[in-house]
Amino acid sequence: MNRTHAPLLLAVFVLGLALAGCDALDIDDVQDPNGPSLSDILENPTRDKLANLAVGIEAGTRTDLSLYLINVGVVGREYYRFSNSDPRFVTELLGKEDFQLDNNTFYIARPWAARYSAIRNAYVLAQASQDFALYSEAERAAAQGYAQTWIAYQLLLNLNLTYNNGVRTDIADLDDLGPIVSPYDAAIANIAAILDEGAASLAAAGDAELPFSTTVDNVGSISLDTASEFRQFNRALAARIAAYRGDFGSIPGLLAESFFDADGDLFTGAYHVYSTGAGDLGNLMFYPVDASAGEIIAGHPSFVTDADPEDQRVFGADPKVALHLNSEGEPTAVSLDGLTSAYTFVRYESISAPIPIIRNAELILLQAEAFAQTGNLGGAVEAINVIRRAAGLDDFGTDAEDDDATLGGVLAEILRQRRYELYGEGHRWVDVRRYNNADCDPTLLDGGGCLNDDFPIDREGDDVWLQFPIPFAENV
């Protein structure tokens, strides 16, 4: 597939998107002036209707993705979201003084609802595509696996937010929704099972082409046009989930079935695509370096001060943060509510820049983590050095007598490289939490600031949250 796509018309089939949990599932028969209703899709499916539905699913996976990235990036102290119009980005998200996370506000209700809307549409696709007159046996399996892959990925993003508070993993029957599954280990096991079911369906489809065009961008040597290729994307996500579950022994096998390439381009992978076309969605993580100080994503100062001075991801020609400029083009710091940064977040260079879903750099670092956790420190260091060399850094120490060569030292370096390589892609808060949550009380709504020692605290009294609450509209 080439990298040029028609705009994803969000009105096509993003059915019934609401602003809170259960409401996002209440899409039983929404009339869409641009296409058939839900009941018509189920009762009278056609290849064209399902092709449009697939476009709608992928468009829906981008809805409020920027807000999800703001949530995990701000709580994880990767950047600030300065907004004169909404102080909650620097009060509630950063745990200022007595502020708590609100279960009935935009930062949890909107991304949660968007993910479940895409999930429900994927269930509709999976059901409608099983019409024997519509698709061949291989195409039915391909459509099923495609839908299950998206369902699992969207559930994972919501679980990343709510963690031990759980997620609703079974919404196939709108009249009998499954329960909120918690704690985290139970919920992510369900998600892994859905992803595995998708892989099995895609394997059954063999090399058949997907019966609709996928609009997800792909960079590098991979393609997502056939069931076998889409399965590689599925297995890449499975490797990430295996790391989250601590199942490090399964990661090498999953990587072997993915698009992983130890010597390949770090940016090869699957991406959400954006454009400025009519009816399409732009990348809302983009702000120019001279954006108004009142509406900006500002790089957290620690991202620069903690960096190796030779790191090209910070100090090179194409850094992930840049000095903020005033209207005269002069460097100037920006401040709000006791927080100050001299940097603008520029991980995404334009409003049309794609956002990675998963890419080869992450897979290489997952390999490093799996090697380290299973006793192969040499293999872990070799994988780490692939990432370090690309960033212009010297090799990580390999001397067995060097303290850095211990398991703790190697894991610390892996997390450091994940911090800098995957900056702004939604990983740091999740990574630090999964390695430093031993002292956290899972019964607390937001974790009680139990990660405060693991992240920079910018103001006295700030808290780093363990998790977000389940949205109020879920009525749990």
Side-chain angles (χ1 to χ4, degrees):
M1 178 186 296
N2 62 40
R3 296 186 57 192
T4 302
H5 303 285
L8 303 186
L9 301 180
L10 296 181
V12 175
F13 270 114
V14 184
L15 300 176
L17 178 61
L19 294 183
C22 287
D23 291 343
L25 310 181
D26 187 14
I27 56 175
D28 189 42
D29 194 10
V30 177
Q31 296 296 323
D32 186 340
N34 296 293
S37 67
L38 174 57
S39 61
D40 184 62
I41 295 173
L42 291 172
E43 294 168 10
N44 303 290
T46 68
R47 293 181 74 96
D48 285 345
K49 290 176 188 177
L50 294 187
N52 282 339
L53 182 55
V55 171
I57 290 167
E58 295 185 7
T61 64
R62 305 173 312 161
T63 302
D64 279 326
L65 178 63
S66 60
L67 187 50
Y68 167 85
L69 292 172
I70 290 294
N71 282 340
V72 298
V74 169
V75 175
R77 273 53 176 186
E78 290 191 287
Y79 36 74
Y80 305 125
R81 173 67 173 94
F82 287 163
S83 173
N84 287 336
S85 63
D86 200 322
R88 288 173 289 187
F89 291 114
V90 296
T91 56
E92 294 173 18
L93 288 186
L94 289 174
K96 181 184 178 183
E97 298 174 349
D98 294 328
F99 283 95
Q100 300 291 313
L101 292 174
D102 188 339
N103 71 346
N104 196 27
T105 198
F106 71 97
Y107 51 68
I108 183 60
R110 279 174 43 187
W112 177 274
R115 305 291 71 77
Y116 273 113
S117 186
I119 289 166
R120 183 54 195 158
N121 288 342
Y123 272 118
V124 172
L125 177 66
Q127 182 178 348
S129 65
Q130 299 313 297
D131 187 316
F132 277 68
L134 190 65
Y135 288 150
S136 68
E137 181 178 357
E139 287 177 324
R140 291 195 300 273
Q144 187 82 7
Y146 169 92
Q148 290 165 320
T149 300
W150 283 121
I151 289 166
Y153 175 56
Q154 295 298 281
L155 286 171
L156 179 64
L157 294 189
N158 272 354
L159 184 62
N160 283 347
L161 293 177
T162 54
Y163 194 52
N164 276 317
N165 289 326
V167 291
R168 203 182 298 276
T169 59
D170 181 6
I171 66 165
D173 185 349
L174 287 175
D175 296 322
D176 186 20
L177 295 176
I180 296 288
V181 178
S182 64
Y184 178 80
D185 288 348
I188 200 167
N190 285 5
I191 294 170
I194 295 169
L195 198 59
D196 287 346
E197 290 169 5
S201 297
L202 291 164
D207 292 325
E209 289 193 4
L210 295 176
F212 32 71
S213 295
T214 177
T215 53
V216 170
D217 201 2
N218 58 84
V219 175
S221 59
I222 71 165
S223 169
L224 299 174
D225 293 333
T226 69
S228 59
E229 292 163 343
F230 203 82
R231 188 177 184 275
Q232 293 181 339
F233 167 51
N234 174 295
R235 296 294 80 188
L237 292 173
R240 176 191 292 175
I241 287 177
Y244 288 5
R245 299 178 70 192
D247 182 14
F248 298 106
S250 70
I251 290 176
L254 293 169
L255 292 177
E257 297 181 71
S258 75
F259 57 83
F260 165 75
D261 184 350
D263 300 313
D265 188 334
L266 300 186
F267 288 91
T268 293
Y271 290 69
H272 293 289
V273 61
Y274 298 85
S275 83
T276 57
D280 201 9
L281 183 67
N283 182 343
L284 300 182
M285 293 297 290
F286 165 71
Y287 284 83
V289 292
D290 59 351
S292 166
E295 294 294 337
I296 193 173
I297 301 175
H300 196 285
S302 67
F303 182 71
V304 177
T305 58
D306 292 350
D308 187 304
E310 302 301 319
D311 196 326
Q312 297 302 293
R313 296 165 296 194
V314 182
F315 303 108
D318 188 23
K320 299 183 180 186
V321 297
L323 288 172
H324 181 70
L325 305 179
N326 63 18
S327 57
E328 285 74 41
E330 301 166 337
T332 183
V334 289
S335 299
L336 185 67
D337 200 2
L339 304 167
T340 299
S341 173
Y343 306 98
T344 298
F345 173 82
V346 291
R347 166 62 182 84
Y348 303 108
E349 70 277 7
S350 75
I351 199 167
S352 299
I355 292 178
I357 299 171
I358 191 164
R359 61 186 179 94
N360 193 43
E362 181 185 351
L363 301 186
I364 292 171
L365 288 166
L366 286 173
Q367 182 195 56
E369 192 174 353
F371 281 160
Q373 292 282 12
T374 57
N376 182 1
L377 294 185
V381 168
E382 184 177 346
I384 289 168
N385 285 335
V386 171
I387 304 298
R388 287 181 61 90
R389 292 166 192 157
L393 300 174
D394 293 338
D395 283 358
F396 185 66
T398 57
D399 187 342
E401 297 179 358
D402 191 327
D403 287 342
D404 287 343
T406 65
L407 174 60
V410 170
L411 288 175
E413 181 62 18
I414 291 169
L415 290 179
R416 179 177 178 82
Q417 291 311 311
R418 287 182 64 90
R419 176 185 182 184
Y420 282 91
E421 182 60 36
L422 306 179
Y423 177 73
E425 299 177 27
H427 295 277
R428 190 186 180 212
W429 179 49
V430 177
D431 287 339
V432 174
R433 179 176 64 190
R434 63 192 174 96
Y435 273 97
N436 296 282
N437 66 1
D439 297 329
C440 295
D441 183 348
T443 66
L444 295 177
L445 183 68
D446 51 32
C450 62
L451 297 178
N452 286 4
D453 292 338
D454 304 299
F455 292 94
I457 300 297
D458 304 298
R459 299 169 300 199
E460 185 176 357
D462 282 5
D463 284 316
V464 180
W465 306 124
L466 176 70
Q467 57 207 10
F468 284 71
I470 299 293
F472 173 80
E474 288 287 357
N475 297 314
V476 295

